[in-house]
Amino acid sequence: MLEAVLSVSLPNCWITNLAPRHGIEIRVIDRKVIGGDRMKELFEAQVPPETIPQLIEDIRKAEGVRNVEVVSTESGRLVGITYASNCGGCALLARSDCFIAGAVARKEPAIEWNLVFRDRESLRRLVSRLARNGYAVKLLRLASVRESVPLTRRQEEILAAALELGYFDYPKRIRLGDLARRLGVSKSTVSQVLRKAQTKVVTAYFENRPS
């Protein structure tokens, strides 16, 4: 099995339109197709609490979105479910031999797909179909699942920032709260992401260590 991260420009996707407009990160937690041209997505976004109502209103008005349900708005973390038309790029992905393990949109008008697939030909076919339909595609990462530590892109970013800023130094050069402020996320989020990332790195080390 192989894994890859693709950056895909999806001009008709509410996520890639609103993430840059609000200057935030919107992450897709899960996605399900419900009917031929519709899907529902469970998403989360770290948003300043005072701007959450405006973001919810913008999602409701976004092209293709039929409904949005708010699950939680605690500590500046918006979690919700959207019911929307299946955009063309997402439809091509759904019909491909690639499986989506996660998706995130940041300040650029594009979405990053974390994909898992059997062979390079599966990825090549998906990229070719996206390009033929006018979607700009960039390959950001390609690796064997067995050779890589299974960190998400967000886990990699936070773990790298913690290492660079001295969170793991003794004595620490930066505390957890300060690290969270530098990253623009809550203290609890950084703590949770670091704990999961460290567990994965240590587990992978001992699994791949020669006996």
Side-chain angles (χ1 to χ4, degrees), residues 25-195:
E25 177 180 291
I26 301 177
R27 184 173 299 274
V28 177
I29 303 171
D30 196 11
R31 171 184 289 163
K32 297 183 185 299
V33 176
I34 48 172
D37 66 339
R38 292 183 299 151
M39 64 180 177
K40 65 177 181 179
E41 293 176 317
L42 177 64
F43 71 92
E44 66 173 350
Q46 291 290 341
V47 193
E50 65 273 13
T51 66
I52 287 179
Q54 184 60 56
L55 176 59
I56 294 172
E57 184 63 21
D58 288 346
I59 295 173
R60 287 198 171 101
K61 293 179 179 178
E63 180 181 355
V65 175
R66 305 183 183 189
N67 189 26
V68 57
E69 297 176 2
V70 177
V71 177
S72 172
T73 59
E74 294 181 1
S75 303
R77 178 174 177 262
L78 170 63
V79 179
I81 301 171
T82 57
Y83 297 82
S85 301
N86 202 351
C87 74
C90 296
L92 291 171
L93 173 60
R95 293 196 295 267
S96 75
D97 294 321
C98 298
F99 300 91
I100 189 163
V104 60
R106 297 185 174 88
K107 296 180 181 180
E108 299 79 21
I111 193 165
E112 292 178 10
W113 288 341
N114 292 287
L115 304 175
V116 179
F117 44 94
R118 182 176 297 177
D119 50 42
R120 291 173 182 261
E121 180 60 21
S122 299
L123 180 64
R124 188 200 65 78
R125 286 195 298 266
L126 173 60
V127 170
S128 178
R129 289 168 184 164
L130 288 166
R132 284 202 307 269
N133 283 272
Y135 298 103
V137 185
K138 289 191 295 185
L139 178 62
L140 302 181
R141 177 182 177 186
L142 177 63
S144 167
V145 172
R146 289 174 298 178
E147 294 173 356
S148 63
V149 177
L151 296 179
T152 66
R153 190 171 181 83
R154 188 59 168 161
Q155 287 171 342
E156 286 183 1
E157 290 175 346
I158 291 181
L159 194 60
L163 183 63
E164 180 181 350
L165 295 172
Y167 178 75
F168 298 111
D169 290 0
Y170 183 79
K172 294 182 185 295
R173 290 190 286 115
I174 189 170
R175 295 186 178 276
L176 187 64
D178 296 325
L179 178 61
R181 282 190 288 274
R182 289 284 293 270
L183 295 169
V185 296
S186 68
K187 184 176 177 180
S188 61
T189 295
V190 173
S191 177
Q192 182 182 34
V193 171
L194 281 177
R195 186 168 58 252

